[in-house]
Amino acid sequence: MSYTDSPLLEISGLSKSYGKHDVLKNLNLTLPPGIHALLGPNGAGKTTLINVLSTLIPHDSGEIRVLGLDTRRDKKRIQGLISLTGQYAAVDGQLSGMENMLMMGRLFGLSRRDAVRRSQALLERFDLTAAMNKRVSTYSGGMRRKLDIAASLIADPLLIFLDEPTTGLDTRSRQALWDEIQALAAHGTSIFLTTQYLEEADVLADRIMVLHDGRIVAEGTASQLKERIGGSTIQVHDQAGRVIKEISTSGEATDVAHHISAIAQHQPEVAVTVRRPTLDEVFLELTGAPASQESDTEGAQT
Amino acid sequence: MAILLPLMLMLVFVFILGGAMDVSDAANASETRNAYLSYVLPAIALTTAGFGASYTAVVVSNDMTTGFMNRLRTMPFPSITVLLGHTVSSMARNLLATAVVVASAFALGFRTDSSALELVAAVGLIALWILVITVVFATLGMVAGSAESASGYGFILLFLPYVSSGFAPVESMPGWLQGFAQHQPMTPIIDASRALLNGDPVGSSWWIGTIWCAGFFAIAIWLIAVIFPRRVAR
Ligand SMILES: Nc1ncnc2c1ncn2[C@@H]1O[C@H](COP(=O)(O)OP(=O)(O)O)[C@@H](O)[C@H]1O
Ligand SMILES: [Mg+2]
């Protein structure tokens, strides 16, 4: 059986609780190969879901197939095809970047020669060659993340799980990591990542799933999600560019034209723009809570 | 550190305290010192090795609380092999420290008339203690919330040998301490290795010490078997 013929992930009736706390509630999902983003606020259950999918922790009920293999029956075979990069780095600060890579390679049973060759190639791909003999404790957050992901690729997995890969990184490192993730996907590696940042999901993912309170409340491409709310907003600006009025419309040409000609008659001096909803507004609509704004504030420190 | 600590302890105990510690009926200060050297030798070996082995708690806790163990758990081999690796490296490190202790004791004038077999048995007993302490500290590292708190546990091991027959005879301690000092696990192990290192009769201390070791070892392994599979970092 070829793994690539099966869906990447098939989840049916997945539930998981910690004691009385139901963290994942009857999830159903089928995903093709590609980049998928699980978007949700803190505490939504993202880490729990990624840990269950990557065979780290068992689920309570339901069925999960990863690359066509059942997580309960074929755990070892799945483990040979995937890798997990958790929220906290899995690299050893006392070792150099190269030593970390080699340790992973040896753990995976590569020969010393293969481990060296593969490590060099990955370190180069992630732009870490210059620092590969330095201790990891001297690395920046972005470099550590890259090394962590590079180490997870040592056995050439078909699917990698990334739990909040850019949380805590500055804007530049985040952008660099996005480029790496997109390059990985171009190589044919499928990626399942979690994020609190709408922008990240929008930029990276083929498909976005919005997880809220243990349920997937929406799923689709970024533009499909934006369409779900439907409509557009007409904004009326004064000469200084300030928004003085907002009018909701269905977005259809006749409706928009009707509103704008009314404005033109009464206030010919103002400017108007028509705006589609942002993913932020979609998120607010779906979850009743604003998305994390951390990406904007935190990124300011460069 | 692994080499420096035994050397420092050795010098402090032999040259600073050694002349004043009258554990035999020696005629002069130099003989008193030599007698004390053969008296404290096993305690210094066990203290440094025990302290070195306690470092296992730090490395294990580090693996458990960072994403490292989580990644290993999603790889197609038993992640417990990593604990085994830490145990082997602790044994290697601390046997080296023991060798340094014994070598420096000889350099300072230690002489013995025990047989090669007795010396091997003494080292074997010390190695057993290192193994047990390593496994106990691996267990502590597994349940510790962070590497920092795990490193705190190593401290206990620095004090335990002082409240044993290791540095001063138990009979010289105040009555309320004697009970603990006489019956804590390090005392029979130290007594047995001292007797073996000096070619004296060993008596019952060797098997009492071995039973202590076996007991600690069994409990620690059982705890690891129960806790390790469930302990996933959040
Ligand atoms: N090991 C655990 N034991 C008990 N509760 C947990 C455990 N892990 C997560 N939770 C709870 O499950 C919920 C979801 O957590 P998590 O999956 O980490 O969310 P996210 O990654 O989206 O922030 C939270 O309320 C959290 O407190
Ligand atoms: Mg999380």
Side-chain angles (χ1 to χ4, degrees):
Chain A
M1 181 188 62
S2 158
Y3 299 114
T4 42
D5 291 345
S6 317
L8 190 69
L9 290 166
E10 293 168 87
I11 301 170
S12 60
L14 165 62
S15 296
K16 168 82 186 171
S17 50
Y18 286 113
K20 281 203 171 69
H21 183 178
D22 297 328
V23 180
L24 300 175
K25 300 164 186 166
N26 191 25
L27 304 188
N28 296 287
L29 203 58
T30 302
L31 300 176
I35 307 187
H36 305 279
L38 182 67
L39 176 65
N42 236 325
K46 301 183 297 297
T47 297
T48 306
L49 179 55
I50 214 166
N51 285 352
V52 166
L53 296 178
S54 61
T55 75
L56 178 60
I57 58 174
H59 56 290
D60 299 335
S61 57
E63 224 177 280
I64 304 169
R65 288 178 168 276
V66 177
L67 299 158
L69 301 166
D70 185 285
T71 50
R72 288 200 172 116
R73 283 192 298 275
D74 295 312
K75 190 166 157 180
K76 287 282 168 243
R77 282 175 71 197
I78 293 173
Q79 290 179 336
L81 301 168
I82 63 157
S83 78
L84 169 68
T85 301
Q87 238 166 308
Y88 303 100
V91 290
D92 189 336
Q94 301 304 307
L95 302 180
S96 72
M98 189 58 166
E99 287 165 341
N100 268 287
M101 296 293 294
L102 290 178
M103 176 173 64
M104 269 300 153
R106 298 312 299 269
L107 282 171
F108 247 109
L110 300 185
S111 72
R112 178 149 182 101
R113 244 180 80 236
D114 287 348
V116 170
R117 196 154 34 85
R118 183 112 186 100
S119 300
Q120 278 169 343
L122 283 166
L123 287 167
E124 184 161 344
R125 165 136 50 113
F126 281 85
D127 222 4
L128 291 168
T129 308
M132 71 183 190
N133 292 320
K134 294 204 183 86
R135 270 190 184 213
V136 171
S137 54
T138 66
Y139 284 21
S140 70
M143 290 163 75
R144 235 172 233 257
R145 260 288 129 177
K146 287 204 279 186
L147 178 65
D148 201 11
I149 295 173
S152 83
L153 295 172
I154 197 88
D156 210 3
L158 294 176
L159 164 61
I160 64 174
F161 292 96
L162 304 174
D163 196 1
E164 300 202 19
T166 67
T167 297
L169 299 188
D170 60 45
T171 312
R172 193 139 37 100
S173 314
R174 174 168 298 164
Q175 186 64 55
L177 199 57
W178 284 351
D179 293 344
E180 305 289 0
I181 290 172
Q182 280 167 328
L184 265 179
H187 271 78
T189 310
S190 285
I191 297 160
F192 186 99
L193 62 89
T194 72
T195 180
Q196 303 187 34
Y197 308 132
L198 295 159
E199 191 196 354
E200 183 159 295
D202 206 354
V203 170
L204 288 181
D206 301 328
R207 291 168 84 84
I208 300 170
M209 296 142 285
V210 180
L211 187 69
H212 177 60
D213 195 20
R215 289 195 174 83
I216 290 177
V217 292
E219 187 208 339
T221 62
S223 60
Q224 279 170 345
L225 288 181
K226 288 172 188 169
E227 266 160 34
R228 255 184 70 140
I229 302 199
S232 296
T233 309
I234 298 169
Q235 291 185 319
V236 183
H237 306 264
D238 64 12
Q239 270 109 345
R242 278 187 300 259
V243 177
I244 50 173
K245 197 173 174 197
E246 284 191 321
I247 304 160
S248 315
T249 99
S250 68
E252 279 157 34
T254 48
D255 193 40
V256 174
H258 166 77
H259 283 292
I260 292 181
S261 61
I263 295 166
Q265 263 178 8
H266 297 108
Q267 300 165 279
E269 74 287 359
V270 300
V272 294
T273 51
V274 181
R275 206 171 59 77
R276 306 238 306 143
T278 64
L279 206 47
D280 249 308
E281 288 160 324
V282 179
F283 196 80
L284 186 64
E285 171 91 8
L286 289 169
T287 66
S292 169
Q293 295 298 313
E294 230 185 308
S295 66
D296 306 332
T297 49
E298 207 181 26
Q301 37 144 11
T302 5
Chain B
M1 180 68 190
I3 312 274
L4 218 56
L5 181 68
L7 284 179
M8 298 293 286
L9 279 177
M10 195 73 116
L11 296 175
V12 166
F13 278 96
V14 175
F15 286 107
I16 298 178
L17 300 171
M21 299 291 283
D22 203 355
V23 291
S24 67
D25 27 53
N28 57 44
S30 148
E31 264 185 47
T32 308
R33 219 189 318 274
N34 268 344
Y36 190 58
L37 173 57
S38 17
Y39 185 84
V40 285
L41 179 54
I44 291 177
L46 288 171
T47 304
T48 52
F51 191 62
S54 73
Y55 180 64
T56 309
V58 178
V59 290
V60 168
S61 156
N62 208 45
D63 286 356
M64 298 292 291
T65 52
T66 63
F68 187 68
M69 197 60 82
N70 280 0
R71 172 171 289 161
L72 295 187
R73 286 178 201 269
T74 64
M75 285 166 57
F77 62 84
S79 45
I80 203 135
T81 49
V82 172
L83 292 188
L84 207 65
H86 287 319
T87 306
V88 170
S89 88
S90 164
M91 291 298 290
R93 232 181 20 246
N94 293 298
L95 283 174
L96 178 70
T98 307
V100 171
V101 170
V102 175
S104 49
F106 275 106
L108 291 175
F110 170 73
R111 294 294 175 267
T112 174
D113 41 82
S114 39
S115 66
L117 197 67
E118 284 172 315
L119 289 180
V120 168
V123 171
L125 206 52
I126 293 171
L128 181 65
W129 175 251
I130 299 174
L131 175 66
V132 168
I133 289 303
T134 298
V135 175
V136 166
F137 276 94
T139 313
L140 288 173
M142 193 177 62
V143 297
S146 69
E148 286 74 35
S149 59
S151 75
Y153 298 133
F155 225 60
I156 307 166
L157 254 280
L158 263 189
F159 285 103
L160 204 53
Y162 294 101
V163 195
S164 79
S165 67
F167 293 97
V170 173
E171 305 83 65
S172 69
M173 296 177 189
W176 55 270
L177 253 186
Q178 283 191 15
F180 177 81
Q182 190 60 57
H183 296 108
Q184 67 123 314
M186 289 196 80
T187 292
I189 295 166
I190 286 172
D191 286 348
S193 14
R194 181 188 296 127
L196 288 165
L197 284 173
N198 290 294
D200 298 332
V202 184
S204 61
S205 52
W206 74 270
W207 62 260
I208 297 177
T210 307
I211 287 176
W212 269 111
C213 286
F216 278 127
F217 188 75
I219 293 171
I221 294 292
W222 176 73
L223 285 173
I224 289 174
V226 171
I227 299 172
F228 183 76
R230 290 156 210 268
R231 191 92 184 170
V232 171
R234 292 180 65 172

